[in-house]
Amino acid sequence: MAAATEEKVRKQIEFYLSSSNLMKDKFLRPIVQADPKGYVDVAMFANFPRVQSITRDLELLVRALRKSSTLKVNRDGTRVKRKEPFVEYDTEANTVYAEHLPEGYDHDVVRGMFEQHGAVNYVSLPRNPDKSFKGFAFIEFAQHDGAVAAVNALNAFHPTDNPTGLRVLHKNDWLEMKRKFQQMQRGITSRPASLAKKEEEEEKDEGAEESKPDVKKKEKEKESDDETTSSKKKAKKRKRSSDGKEESKKKKKKSKKEEEENKKKKAKKQKSESDEEQKEKKRKKKEKKEKTKDEETKKKKKSKKGKGEEEDKKKKKSKKNK
């Protein structure tokens, strides 16, 4: 039982780190490429729902990975990498498109059918939003010869449960046919290269989503978390902005109040200074008046004294003449 579980989980991780999957996996490829040696945390794989559906035993997972012929685990069993470095390549030449597949077909059935013509790296069964099978698939072969053999042998092939017959062609031929059909529908004679490239990318994404829904689900959850975090940040920013505006209003109100108080103090000070000036003026006027009065009194006294002395002189002179 343990040996079967080890083999199943080992194959699952080998698939995740396979070249064909990494070419389509926008979540895992950047992680592999970010590390100089291509190492990935084993704990990350242990958290994938599909791996957890096989085992939740981390020790068993590490033990299984150590037995892999394509993967290498570090000494402490915390990280895993490919033995052969990952190099990006063109997958389209080795990929075929197959349609009119019966509803009950799954990855194993499709792989078994096409593996008769060459080693298969990757099988994608795109599904509708309600998870129902769309009826077509993309199959990537390890070698171009396998893709050629599959097209020659299986195109117009009639499985026992499909009287319509399969339609199998190279993916590049299918992409060209699709573009021509869309051009005819839209009534245009040429199509921007950027838009054509975008359509091809959509096909890659479609395949990646089917082959590895658990990781894509994790991506969606991450995007959801990012959106939630972004919403929280925006709310926090709005709150800071609102608080800032409120604080600014308070500061302006406080500044206005302080300005009014300063004006009152200034007016009061000016009034006080004016009162002091008035008092000083009155005091000086009074002093001047009193000084003038004293001077007049002195003049009167002096004048009176002068008259008395004159009268005395006259009396003495009159007396002497007699």
Side-chain angles (χ1 to χ4, degrees), residues 101-232:
L101 295 170
E103 176 65 30
Y105 277 30
D106 59 15
H107 285 79
D108 292 335
V109 173
V110 174
R111 181 181 289 274
M113 178 187 295
F114 283 85
E115 271 183 339
Q116 298 175 35
H117 308 284
V120 173
N121 285 344
Y122 184 93
V123 175
S124 166
L125 303 181
R127 297 185 179 277
N128 295 305
D130 62 357
K131 302 301 180 183
S132 60
F133 179 39
K134 288 186 176 182
F136 64 88
F138 296 96
I139 301 94
E140 181 192 326
F141 285 86
Q143 301 294 330
H144 179 65
D145 292 345
V148 174
V151 170
N152 292 335
L154 297 177
N155 188 37
F157 172 70
H158 290 260
T160 55
D161 47 1
N162 183 13
T164 306
L166 300 182
R167 187 182 189 189
V168 182
L169 59 159
H170 293 286
K171 187 176 180 182
N172 284 330
D173 293 339
W174 173 77
L175 288 171
E176 182 62 24
M177 183 182 68
K178 181 181 178 181
R179 278 193 286 272
K180 286 181 179 178
F181 177 72
Q182 288 176 337
Q183 287 173 4
M184 182 181 66
Q185 278 191 321
R186 297 175 188 177
I188 58 177
T189 57
S190 61
R191 189 166 192 75
S194 59
L195 191 54
K197 186 176 180 181
K198 183 180 177 183
E199 285 181 352
E200 291 180 10
E201 288 298 323
E202 285 175 354
E203 294 305 327
K204 290 180 183 179
D205 294 347
E206 192 173 34
E209 182 177 0
E210 174 57 26
S211 68
K212 197 173 175 194
D214 299 324
V215 175
K216 299 302 288 185
K217 182 180 178 183
K218 198 173 183 72
E219 268 194 286
K220 289 177 182 177
E221 289 173 356
K222 186 177 181 295
E223 287 173 2
S224 178
D225 291 342
D226 290 343
E227 287 174 4
T228 304
T229 304
S230 178
S231 298
K232 286 180 180 178

Side-chain angles (χ1 to χ4, degrees), residues 251-267:
K251 283 181 179 179
K252 284 181 181 179
K253 193 174 180 181
K254 186 179 179 181
S255 178
K256 194 173 181 180
K257 190 176 179 181
E258 287 176 353
E259 190 178 346
E260 288 175 355
E261 287 178 355
N262 288 335
K263 282 182 180 180
K264 286 180 181 179
K265 285 179 181 179
K266 191 175 180 180

Side-chain angles (χ1 to χ4, degrees), residues 279-292:
K279 285 180 182 180
E280 185 66 20
K281 284 180 181 180
K282 285 181 181 180
R283 186 180 64 75
K284 286 182 178 180
K285 190 175 181 180
K286 188 177 179 182
E287 285 179 354
K288 189 176 181 181
K289 189 176 181 181
E290 287 176 353
K291 188 178 179 181
T292 304

Side-chain angles (χ1 to χ4, degrees), residues 55-93:
T55 181
R56 291 177 179 269
D57 188 340
L58 188 59
E59 290 183 3
L60 184 147
L61 175 58
V62 173
R63 192 165 61 248
L65 293 177
R66 290 192 187 281
K67 296 177 183 178
S68 173
S69 60
T70 60
L71 304 178
K72 180 181 179 180
V73 181
N74 65 352
R75 287 185 179 181
D76 56 7
T78 58
R79 312 198 80 195
V80 62
K81 71 170 185 175
R82 293 161 47 100
K83 287 184 178 179
E84 295 293 329
F86 169 64
V87 179
E88 294 186 18
Y89 65 99
D90 180 18
T91 63
E92 307 298 354

